[in-house]
Amino acid sequence: MITLLLQLNKLVKKVNCSQILTTQIPKNFPTDTELLIMSKNNIINLYAHIPYLDHLLELDLSNNRITQLNRGHLFFNLNHLKYLDLSYNQFKTISPGSFRRMKRLETLILSNGQLRFIDEHAFDGLENLRNLNLANNHITFIFLELFQSLLNIHVSD
């Protein structure tokens, strides 16, 4: 379902594919989509399933069954993304480079999942990250170096 929203006096093209029980992200979105909602589906694997959307600013993949975040391949096409919600998924680790090339990302939500381990270089390159939500996971240890490259960040535990 494609809708147009008025957000801060600007039209935003929103595509809402929540609760359609799909197992992958469809490839035929309008190229000017800015907000994509894929929550509450049955997506397990993201590898090679995220289409090139040059204008995408927000992506909601919450409440799926995503089991892993591959190194640097998943979000390669999403250079302008500012908001990413991966909450309520099933991945257990975050590898180095999982969010490579996401230099504009400001908010990353990883809460309420199965997360156990975050590599010390998992967030390298996220120079604009301001909000990181890791609440309600199974993390027992975090490297202090994890936050070394992140300036002005607010972390929710």
Side-chain angles (χ1 to χ4, degrees):
M1 171 189 200
I2 300 173
T3 57
L4 295 176
L5 298 172
L6 186 58
Q7 192 175 55
L8 295 174
N9 297 324
K10 178 185 170 231
L11 275 176
V12 175
K13 187 170 274 188
K14 170 185 171 183
V15 177
N16 187 348
C17 294
S18 61
Q19 297 183 329
I20 61 172
L21 304 179
T22 185
T23 58
Q24 63 183 9
I25 299 174
K27 302 265 189 236
N28 55 347
F29 294 115
T31 56
D32 57 347
T33 299
E34 294 179 85
L35 171 56
L36 176 57
I37 302 172
M38 294 295 307
S39 63
K40 298 180 182 173
N41 283 296
N42 292 318
I43 299 169
I44 295 172
N45 185 357
L46 289 176
Y47 185 71
H49 291 293
I50 299 179
Y52 177 72
L53 295 169
D54 193 40
H55 297 280
L56 193 64
L57 300 175
E58 298 183 30
L59 176 59
D60 183 348
L61 289 166
S62 64
N63 288 286
N64 277 283
R65 301 182 327 172
I66 300 167
T67 57
Q68 63 180 355
L69 299 178
N70 298 341
R71 293 180 177 201
H73 301 291
L74 294 177
F75 308 107
F76 187 76
N77 293 329
L78 305 177
N79 300 335
H80 299 284
L81 205 64
K82 291 185 176 187
Y83 176 94
L84 177 60
D85 188 346
L86 290 165
S87 61
Y88 294 95
N89 275 287
Q90 298 175 3
F91 51 88
K92 291 180 173 65
T93 64
I94 299 178
S95 303
S98 292
F99 304 105
R100 184 175 294 144
R101 294 191 65 191
M102 298 184 76
K103 294 183 186 299
R104 294 188 174 116
L105 193 66
E106 296 174 1
T107 300
L108 178 58
I109 303 172
L110 301 167
S111 62
N112 299 295
Q114 303 297 316
L115 192 56
R116 296 181 186 279
F117 177 76
I118 303 173
D119 184 273
E120 63 186 291
H121 298 289
F123 303 132
D124 287 359
L126 296 180
E127 52 205 45
N128 286 309
L129 192 64
R130 299 293 175 258
N131 300 297
L132 175 62
N133 189 334
L134 300 169
N136 299 317
N137 277 289
H138 304 285
I139 303 166
T140 57
F141 176 80
I142 292 183
F143 292 100
L144 290 178
E145 294 83 6
L146 181 66
F147 305 108
Q148 186 173 9
S149 64
L150 304 174
L151 304 173
N152 302 315
I153 188 166
H154 174 265
V155 179
S156 301
D157 64 354

